[in-house]
Amino acid sequence: MSDSIASFVRKVDALARPNAAQDGRLLFALDATMSRQPTWDLACSLQAEMFKAIPKDSALQVQLLYFRGLGECRASKWVIDANGLAKLMGGIDCRGGNTQIGRVFAHARNEHAKRKINAVVFVGDAIEENVDALAEKAGQLGLLGCPLFVFQEGRDSRVEAAFREFARLTKGAYARFDASAPQELAALLKAVAAYASGGRDLLKLQTSGQAKALLAQIGQG
């Protein structure tokens, strides 16, 4: 397991819910600008894989948020229906435009104020906004106890440094989004979703190495 993935696994326990009777909530945010077009289908499939870890009678609500084009930033309703959300993602095409990560963070803060979000997953490859301003917004999420789990596509060192800082400020985690090895990240997403929805018991049902490593780490806590 790569260092970034191992680090991600070690920190996923931030998703633990104090009240297991409540639905877990996961905000799945995506950069849908034109640079992401080559791997958009892969991102859609990873989202679908994430839902496969959740039994129908388990409680995990997921909201899809994406930005693209000239100021377009939209969020779906909170849903448990995996098929409905997958269809929504399948209907989105990438369009040229600047990043709107600040709006993602602001939306997460507003939703978290209404009801706790257990995790925010963000997948992107670029930053065209002021990094210090974004770090301030990430810090606000950290103070509210809303962790960011950031997946980077590509190897831009400036983007990596910023994404790692956002994750650190929120007590979340960073991992590289490697289009050539999607199985590892898909398994990790499934483990995150399983733990967010059902804690350790549901995570035990996952057979991937990532899930087992996560379970072993939680057992030491």
Side-chain angles (χ1 to χ4, degrees):
M1 190 182 301
S2 68
D3 290 343
S4 63
I5 296 296
S7 176
F8 193 107
V9 168
R10 285 195 296 270
K11 294 187 177 180
V12 167
D13 60 350
L15 293 174
R17 304 199 311 281
N19 185 355
Q22 289 186 339
D23 289 0
R25 299 215 304 168
L26 188 154
L27 175 62
F28 194 75
L30 296 165
D31 177 342
T33 55
M34 193 58 71
S35 63
R36 298 288 326 288
Q37 183 64 57
T39 54
W40 182 254
D41 289 343
L42 176 57
C44 291
S45 68
L46 285 179
Q47 178 268 339
E49 285 294 314
M50 180 176 66
F51 274 108
K52 290 180 182 178
I54 311 303
K56 292 182 179 179
D57 59 350
S58 293
L60 178 66
Q61 295 186 18
V62 177
Q63 182 182 66
L64 171 67
L65 175 68
Y66 68 91
F67 60 79
R68 64 181 183 177
L70 301 177
E72 182 181 359
C73 184
R74 297 185 180 182
S76 72
K77 295 180 180 179
W78 288 95
V79 301
I80 297 178
D81 179 11
N83 292 328
L85 199 56
K87 288 180 181 178
L88 178 62
M89 285 192 68
I92 299 170
D93 61 327
C94 296
R95 298 178 184 174
N98 293 329
T99 63
Q100 301 177 60
I101 300 171
R103 293 181 69 179
V104 171
F105 292 173
H107 177 83
R109 185 181 67 244
N110 292 337
E111 288 293 317
H112 188 78
K114 298 174 186 176
R115 183 178 157 195
K116 178 180 174 65
I117 294 176
N118 301 97
V120 177
V121 172
F122 174 70
V123 180
D125 67 343
I127 297 178
E128 293 159 326
E129 301 153 81
N130 183 283
V131 173
D132 289 336
L134 291 177
E136 181 179 0
K137 290 183 177 181
Q140 293 171 1
L141 288 175
L143 291 174
L144 293 171
C146 182
L148 288 168
F149 294 90
V150 188
F151 292 87
Q152 179 190 1
E153 180 183 349
R155 296 185 175 276
D156 186 312
S157 59
R158 174 180 171 273
V159 172
E160 177 178 349
F163 280 5
R164 285 185 181 277
E165 180 65 3
F166 302 156
R168 184 191 70 80
L169 287 168
T170 63
K171 294 186 169 71
Y174 162 91
R176 193 176 302 282
F177 182 83
D178 187 353
S180 66
Q183 298 85 0
E184 186 173 59
L185 290 179
L188 188 55
L189 271 178
K190 289 172 68 176
V192 170
Y195 190 60
S197 64
R200 187 180 305 175
D201 289 341
L202 186 53
L203 184 58
K204 288 179 180 178
L205 300 178
Q206 301 302 304
T207 59
S208 70
Q210 290 80 4
K212 290 179 179 178
L214 174 59
L215 184 61
Q217 189 274 329
I218 292 174
Q220 295 172 0

